[in-house]
């Protein structure tokens, strides 16, 4: 809808009343909004209402925009190659051009994230200790050093606080099994030294971080 049309709308509004013109304007804007809405719904029918995550699809709300954009590129290039990525995401981004990917990343990043709260609460203390200090004797780096004190991420390093237990657990296991997600990321090396009990504790702790 062009400015001249809006101006004409106001003009007419003065004459025939607000409600009728408002209806006419909504009818004009309608198709454009439906397109944007449909685009986001292509994602949220898997990623959940307000993109807070649902089943195996992770939360996108509040994630770092540069990280989201980078992962969409990795799905497109087939660099992120674990089974769920292949099954669900390769197709979902196949037709997204870079500017649509950037817009979607900015849109999801701006939604306030809610924590999944679905880990084992008894493991919070253990998970937090590994997160903050790493395990020096096993050569495990502190997660805090890269992901930040509250697991909020920075620049292209993702927010991991509040992500769902099963998602974080699978990610850490899959890096250890040799799957990739981006080129030259440190996570395969970080995850290789983590045992199952440590992964469980980390994924539990992170699920409760607000
Ligand atoms: C059919 C279901 C489905 C649809 C549709 C879908 N996704 Fe996904 N998405 C997934 C799953 C499942 C994963 C997790 C992959 C994994 O386990 O590594 C994922 C992962 C992602 C990730 C990585 C998140 C992270 O924290 O690393 C991004 C980014 C993403 N999706 C964006 C989108 C966008 C944008 C759309 C819409 C254009 C979309 N998805 C549509 C199922 C879907
Ligand atoms: C040297 C920096 C660094 C350290 C140390 C580090 N990470 Fe990461 N982490 C990253 C980067 C960079 C990514 C993004 C990977 C990509 O682009 O695929 C990431 C991704 C992740 C993800 C995926 C998030 C998502 O949305 O899919 C999880 C989970 C994660 N890290 C957990 C951890 C845990 C737990 C630790 C500590 C044991 C840790 N990281 C230590 C840099 C680091």
């Amino acid at each position: 809808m062009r400015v001249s049309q809006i101006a004409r709308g106001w003009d007419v509004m003065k004459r025939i009343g607000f409600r009728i013109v408002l209806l006419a304007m909504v009818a004009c804007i309608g198709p454009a909004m439906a397109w944007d809405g449909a685009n986001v719904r292509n994602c949220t029918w898997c990623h959940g209402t307000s993109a807070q995550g649902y089943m195996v699809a992770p939360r996108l709300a509040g994630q770092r925009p540069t990280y989201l954009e980078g992962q969409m590129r990795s799905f497109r290039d087939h660099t992120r190659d674990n089974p769920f990525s292949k099954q669900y995401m390769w197709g979902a981004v196949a037709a997204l051009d870079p500017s649509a990917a950037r817009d979607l990343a900015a849109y999801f990043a701006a939604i306030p994230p809610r924590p999944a709260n679905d880990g084992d609460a008894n493991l919070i203390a253990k998970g937090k200790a590994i997160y903050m200090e790493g395990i020096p004797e096993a050569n495990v780096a502190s997660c805090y050093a890269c992901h930040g004190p509250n697991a909020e991420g920075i620049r292209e390093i993702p927010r991991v606080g509040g992500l769902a237990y099963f998602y974080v657990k699978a990610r850490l296991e899959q890096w250890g099994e040799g799957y990739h997600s981006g080129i030259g990321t440190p996570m395969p090396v970080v995850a290789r030294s983590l045992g199952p009990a440590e992964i469980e504790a980390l994924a539990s702790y992170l699920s409760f971080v607000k």
Side-chain angles (χ1 to χ4, degrees), residues 153-185:
I154 180 166
R155 291 187 296 274
E156 74 286 358
I157 301 179
R159 177 194 289 276
V160 289
L163 289 177
Y165 169 83
F166 280 105
Y167 175 72
V168 170
K169 179 169 177 279
R171 289 285 270 158
L172 294 172
E173 286 169 353
Q174 286 167 348
W175 272 307
E177 290 160 8
Y179 290 106
H180 299 91
S181 60
I183 293 163
T185 85

Side-chain angles (χ1 to χ4, degrees), residues 42-43 45-47 56-58 60 63 67-68 71-72 75 80 82 84-85 88-89 92 96 104 108 167 171:
N42 284 343
C43 315
W45 69 270
C46 280
H47 286 274
V56 293
L60 304 177
Q63 187 51 280
Y67 171 76
L68 291 176
Q71 294 303 301
M72 285 188 245
F75 293 127
R80 182 159 167 180
N82 59 322
F84 283 160
S85 293
Y88 297 111
M89 283 308 300
L96 273 189
L104 284 169
F108 289 124
Y167 175 72
R171 289 285 270 158

Side-chain angles (χ1 to χ4, degrees), residues 97-118:
D97 61 59
S99 81
R102 192 171 327 117
D103 289 350
L104 284 169
Y107 174 83
F108 289 124
I111 300 175
R114 291 197 295 266
N117 291 331
D118 60 351

Side-chain angles (χ1 to χ4, degrees), residues 9-123:
W10 277 110
D11 230 345
V12 178
M13 200 181 300
K14 277 182 252 157
R15 273 179 283 132
I16 62 169
F18 183 74
R19 281 244 300 269
I20 295 168
V21 176
L22 192 67
L23 278 175
M25 283 170 78
V26 169
C28 279
I29 300 168
M33 291 207 340
W35 183 85
D36 276 337
N39 217 13
V40 167
R41 276 199 299 276
N42 284 343
C43 315
T44 51
W45 69 270
C46 280
H47 286 274
T49 324
S50 332
Q52 298 294 333
Y54 181 68
M55 311 273 286
V56 293
R59 186 185 69 192
L60 304 177
Q63 187 51 280
R64 311 277 327 155
T66 37
Y67 171 76
L68 291 176
E69 218 185 317
Q71 294 303 301
M72 285 188 245
R73 215 176 307 122
S74 296
F75 293 127
R76 242 172 88 111
D77 299 344
H78 298 180
T79 315
R80 182 159 167 180
D81 59 357
N82 59 322
F84 283 160
S85 293
K86 224 181 237 186
Q87 193 176 339
Y88 297 111
M89 283 308 300
W90 286 12
V93 298
L96 273 189
D97 61 59
S99 81
R102 192 171 327 117
D103 289 350
L104 284 169
Y107 174 83
F108 289 124
I111 300 175
R114 291 197 295 266
N117 291 331
D118 60 351
D120 179 349
N122 297 315
L123 297 175

